[in-house]
Amino acid sequence: MGVVKLMVNMQEIADNLIKGQAPKVKELVQKAVDEGVKPSEILSEGLIAGMNVVGTKFKANEFYIPEVLIAARAMHAGMDIVKPLLSKSDAKSTTTILLGTVKGDLHDIGKNLVGMMMEGAGFEVIDLGIDVTPEKFVQAVKDKNPNVIAMSALLTTTMTSMKTTIEALKAAGVKDRVKTIIGGAPITQSYADEIDADGYAPDAASAVDKVKELVNV
C-alpha cells in the first residue's frame, strides 16, 4: 500500500499554485501525469481549483496583482505539461474567450490579468493584444467563433471604441453570436448598459464570474 501514499494529491498542486511555487507545481503535475492521473482531473481539481482560490483572495483584497501574477506563472508551469495532453483528449474547453484592449489603447496589464484568470478557470483564451480595431474584433468572431468577447480600456478617450466595436458587430450581423463583456478603470455598469454590452466586470476575478454567468457554466 506504500505506493498509494506516494501518489500526488490534487490539493497539493492547488496549494503550491496558490503560493506561486512554479517549479513545485511543474514537478507535481509531471508526477501526476506519470502516475496516470487524467489531464482533465489535474486541470480541474489541481490548477483550476488553485486559481479559483487565488481569484477569491484577489476579490477580497487578500491578494494583489503581484501575487496573482506569481500564481498565474505557477499555473502556466503546470498548463505547459497538461495542455498538449488535453488536446489529445476530449477535455478541451468548450468556452472560448476573445480578449483585447480596444483601438487607441496600449495598456495591457489588466487585459493580461483577465486572460490569466480566464485560463485559470479552464477557458480557451485568444488574446488579440492591444490597440485592437473594431474590424479586427469582427473578423476574429467570424474566424474563431468565440463564445465571449472581453474588451478592455484604461482611458476615457478610448472607451468609446467599445461602443464602436459593438456597433460594428451589429453591422456585421454577428452580435447575436457572441456575448460581450467590458472592463477597465473608467468603465461602469451604466456604460455597459448604454452601449449594449452583455456584461461588465470591475476586476479580473469578477470577469471570470461574469463569463460563467453569461455562458451558463
Side-chain angles (χ1 to χ4, degrees), residues 102-125:
V102 295
K103 184 182 177 187
D105 205 315
L106 306 179
H107 296 91
D108 67 354
I109 292 175
K111 170 187 68 65
N112 293 346
L113 203 55
V114 169
M116 287 171 185
M117 296 296 277
M118 293 290 182
E119 283 187 348
F123 299 135
E124 187 73 28
V125 175

Side-chain angles (χ1 to χ4, degrees), residues 181-200:
I181 177 173
I182 62 173
I187 310 303
T188 59
Q189 182 61 57
S190 61
Y191 185 66
D193 296 338
E194 181 191 319
I195 67 171
D196 202 20
D198 295 301
Y200 154 73

Side-chain angles (χ1 to χ4, degrees), residues 28-41:
L28 290 169
V29 168
Q30 187 60 60
K31 194 160 177 258
V33 168
D34 294 343
E35 286 168 0
V37 181
K38 284 183 183 173
S40 56
E41 193 178 319

Side-chain angles (χ1 to χ4, degrees), residues 196-209:
D196 202 20
D198 295 301
Y200 154 73
D203 56 60
S206 302
V208 172
D209 294 338

